[in-house]
Amino acid sequence: MRMTLSDLIVALAGGTLLVASACSSKAADAAAIGDEGTFVVVRGDLPITLTENGTLVAKDSRQVRVESSRGGKISWLVDAGKEVAEGDVLCRLDPTELNSSIQQSELDITQAEADLKNAQTELDIQQTENVASLEKARIAEDKADKELQRYKEGDGPQERRKLLIAVKDAQTEFERKKKFFDDSKTLVEQGYLKRSELIDHEIAFEKAQVQLEGSDLDLKMFDQYKHPMSLAEKQTALADAKREVGSVEKRNESKLLQRQVAVAQNEKRLLQYKERLRRLKSDLEKFTLSAPCAGIVLHGDPKQPWYRDQIKVGSEVWEGSVVCTIPDLRVMQVKLQVHEADINKLKKGLKTTITMESMPGVVMAGELTNIASIANTGGEWGGGGGDAVKKFDVEVTIEQREGVRLRPGISAKVVIDIDHLADVAYVPLQSVVVEGSTHGCFVAAANGQAERRVVEVGASNDNYIQIQNGLEPGERVLLYNPSLGKQQGDSQEAAGDRASAPAGAGEPAAAAAAGAGNK
């Protein structure tokens, strides 16, 4: 699980935050230190990168689908991962059930005779239902019309009059309370009224003012929103009722026509069964699925891995089912999942570097080409509880190199170049500790002691973090938190030896660039 920047700094510094007893509000307790376990603050270039692991996939693929309208059971299937040429047989479906369907077509003729009698009965019923449904729709239209007139002529104007009266009452009360309050201020100045009474009069005045404002707002809301919305609602209801009358008339006509047509259809059904027989024979030819192009065979659709296990000999498949996928290996991508804490750092077009454990020494360039708009919380169907890790699907397109053959499904590491900060001060992540909402570093003083200094941090990579304010180049900072015990400083002595070695502005930046991709 990916940590936020503050969590990562705290973990590298020792695993816990500084407590109030460890340092005062302005400076940490001094601790004796040596040159070991420190880093000299420098100014230089700082590359900002993000490293993620992903899986190689083909950008485009040719899918082999079941074209038969009936589908069938797989009786033979080519092995996954096999290289095939265009036209090679990939799958065969069992024709036994299809042959039974041909025989069933002959039995359907008898059923059509029974359907003819039933269709005539349904026609008589439909004629009776049409009369009742049209009468009901017209009653609803008349009711909606009366509701609209009642609101326009009665309910609406009456409600507005009540709001106007409330505004006038509130205005009168406001003016009365205001005069009373103004008079009270004069009486207080003349000594005829206590100040506590003046406060009571002021409160009464403010309440009257609030009441007036509320009444004005109620009237305004009625005129601008409630009345137009209510009027529109009534008008819409009437329009819907009128449309419903027309719809009922058309629907009745359509249903009646359908019943009449049903009688004639049964007479023609014999010819339709002959056409069905022709289609069944065509389906029989489609029970053999061939490769549309050369490539490596994958079972099912890679975008639906939960369905892949169902593609096997003996499984049922239906029209449109993807039996095999042949990836186009000319353009490959890496599918990544990026934590929600990092997703806002990314944008399309960022350059990347891709490496694969299965291909040591091969380094390929790429470009970030797609960022999902919705987080994938995990699970086959995209579900996940409130505590589920939120990650976004990201696609990186690889720039193909001659002589390098990539295969789908290979694990890959992608380093995304987010930014490159020029001429900035920076320190290792473990030099920054968090106390409350502030970040700080322990600076080695000339007397061999260390004091905590509040710093302002900026962007970071996996090893270093920018210091925007609080430190100057040349100052030495500790690579550990001395208040957590000297043993933590001893555990990082090796890192301190490397970091405190003499170097120019460019050398630590090169180290940062080299280590930025390591997780």
Side-chain angles (χ1 to χ4, degrees):
M1 180 177 66
R2 183 173 296 279
M3 298 184 289
T4 63
L5 174 60
S6 296
D7 294 336
L8 182 59
I9 291 173
V10 172
L12 291 171
T16 58
L17 297 175
L18 291 175
V19 294
S21 61
C23 61
S24 66
S25 62
K26 295 184 178 180
D29 294 335
I33 60 171
D35 290 340
E36 71 280 359
T38 63
F39 178 86
V40 178
V41 181
V42 295
R43 181 174 292 275
D45 293 348
L46 181 64
I48 305 302
T49 60
L50 178 66
T51 303
E52 295 288 351
N53 294 321
T55 303
L56 262 63
V57 298
K59 180 181 179 181
D60 299 311
S61 300
R62 297 287 298 275
Q63 294 181 335
V64 180
R65 298 176 178 270
V66 177
E67 297 182 1
S68 169
S69 60
R70 298 181 55 84
K73 183 182 294 184
I74 298 176
S75 60
W76 182 86
L77 182 65
V78 68
D79 294 335
K82 183 177 180 180
E83 294 190 17
V84 296
E86 181 178 355
D88 287 354
V89 176
L90 303 179
C91 176
R92 290 191 178 94
L93 305 183
D94 186 358
T96 303
E97 186 173 341
L98 183 59
N99 291 330
S100 298
S101 298
I102 295 174
Q103 298 176 0
Q104 182 63 39
S105 296
E106 298 174 355
L107 298 177
D108 288 339
I109 297 176
T110 303
Q111 182 65 42
E113 294 176 351
D115 291 342
L116 177 60
K117 183 177 181 180
N118 181 65
Q120 184 61 53
T121 302
E122 292 293 334
L123 177 60
D124 296 339
I125 295 174
Q126 188 64 54
Q127 291 173 337
T128 303
E129 290 180 348
N130 286 356
V131 175
S133 61
L134 183 58
E135 182 179 354
K136 182 178 180 181
R138 287 174 175 169
I139 293 174
E141 178 188 6
D142 182 68
K143 180 180 178 182
D145 182 64
K146 287 182 171 56
E147 289 284 348
L148 175 60
Q149 297 304 319
R150 185 179 70 176
Y151 181 79
K152 292 170 64 176
E153 300 174 4
D155 294 348
Q158 182 178 5
E159 184 174 354
R160 192 176 191 280
R161 284 194 294 270
K162 291 180 180 179
L163 293 173
L164 284 173
I165 292 172
V167 171
K168 292 179 180 179
D169 290 343
Q171 181 67 40
T172 301
E173 182 66 10
F174 170 78
E175 294 174 353
R176 189 173 69 86
K177 295 295 184 181
K178 183 177 185 302
K179 185 177 184 306
F180 198 39
F181 175 58
D182 293 338
D183 293 341
S184 297
K185 290 191 288 186
T186 303
L187 293 175
V188 169
E189 293 174 355
Q190 296 175 356
Y192 295 106
L193 191 67
K194 295 181 181 180
R195 183 162 295 278
S196 59
E197 295 177 302
L198 176 62
I199 294 174
D200 293 338
H201 297 164
E202 182 180 7
I203 294 173
F205 166 70
E206 292 176 350
K207 289 182 178 179
Q209 185 177 15
V210 172
Q211 182 65 32
L212 177 58
E213 292 174 353
S215 300
D216 288 337
L217 182 60
D218 289 341
L219 180 59
K220 182 179 179 181
M221 292 298 101
F222 177 82
D223 289 339
Q224 292 186 0
Y225 300 104
K226 185 175 181 180
H227 175 65
M229 291 170 61
S230 298
L231 183 60
E233 182 181 354
K234 303 295 184 183
Q235 292 172 338
T236 301
L238 177 58
D240 289 343
K242 290 181 177 180
R243 283 192 293 267
E244 180 62 18
V245 172
S247 298
V248 168
E249 291 176 343
K250 294 179 180 179
R251 192 180 302 119
N252 290 345
E253 182 181 354
S254 175
K255 289 181 178 180
L256 187 63
L257 181 61
Q258 290 176 6
R259 301 304 182 188
Q260 294 170 342
V261 170
V263 176
Q265 284 180 337
N266 283 277
E267 297 175 350
K268 300 177 181 179
R269 193 156 296 175
L270 179 61
L271 295 177
Q272 293 176 351
Y273 284 136
K274 290 182 178 180
E275 174 61 21
R276 183 187 179 194
L277 178 61
R278 185 195 64 79
R279 294 197 304 267
L280 290 175
K281 291 181 178 180
S282 176
D283 285 341
L284 188 61
E285 297 176 357
K286 297 175 183 178
F287 269 30
T288 299
L289 284 66
S290 302
C293 62
I296 299 175
V297 176
L298 300 178
H299 287 172
D301 186 350
K303 296 180 181 179
Q304 298 177 334
W306 59 86
Y307 178 70
R308 188 179 306 154
D309 292 340
Q310 301 180 28
I311 303 301
K312 57 185 178 181
V313 174
S315 297
E316 291 282 348
V317 290
W318 307 98
E319 182 182 12
S321 299
V322 179
V323 176
C324 296
T325 300
I326 302 179
D328 184 351
L329 304 182
R330 293 174 296 179
V331 181
M332 299 294 291
Q333 291 183 326
V334 183
K335 295 283 188 179
L336 307 174
Q337 285 196 330
V338 177
H339 194 278
E340 60 181 337
D342 295 322
I343 197 64
N344 286 334
K345 302 176 184 178
L346 305 183
K347 62 181 179 179
K348 292 182 180 180
L350 290 178
K351 300 302 181 181
T352 65
T353 303
I354 301 107
T355 56
M356 292 150 283
E357 291 185 1
S358 60
M359 304 178 69
V362 175
V363 180
M364 305 190 72
E367 181 178 324
L368 198 155
T369 52
N370 188 48
I371 302 173
S373 301
I374 302 176
N376 180 0
T377 55
E380 279 190 359
W381 305 106
D387 297 331
V389 176
K390 305 294 191 305
K391 292 189 176 183
F392 288 76
D393 293 331
V394 174
E395 296 177 1
V396 172
T397 301
I398 302 174
E399 297 179 8
Q400 292 292 95
R401 284 174 45 185
E402 292 186 7
V404 178
R405 184 177 184 184
L406 303 178
R407 288 178 173 269
I410 294 177
S411 298
K413 177 182 289 185
V414 179
V415 180
I416 305 173
D417 296 327
I418 298 175
D419 199 359
H420 190 89
L421 304 181
D423 193 27
V424 297
Y426 58 87
V427 297
L429 286 172
Q430 62 263 38
S431 294
V432 181
V433 294
V434 180
E435 181 181 5
S437 60
T438 64
H439 298 79
C441 291
F442 284 92
V443 182
N447 60 1
Q449 302 296 315
E451 63 177 16
R452 185 179 185 273
R453 187 182 301 172
V454 175
V455 297
E456 182 179 349
V457 299
S460 67
N461 57 29
D462 297 326
N463 296 310
Y464 296 92
I465 184 168
Q466 177 190 5
I467 301 297
Q468 295 178 327
N469 192 16
L471 293 176
E472 295 295 333
E475 292 186 301
R476 286 190 304 124
V477 295
L478 272 63
L479 291 169
Y480 60 94
N481 182 354
S483 64
L484 297 180
K486 185 61 174 64
Q487 64 275 15
Q488 290 191 354
D490 295 337
S491 67
Q492 302 183 33
E493 181 175 353
D497 291 340
R498 294 194 300 270
S500 60
E507 184 174 346
N518 298 329
K519 289 282 183 184

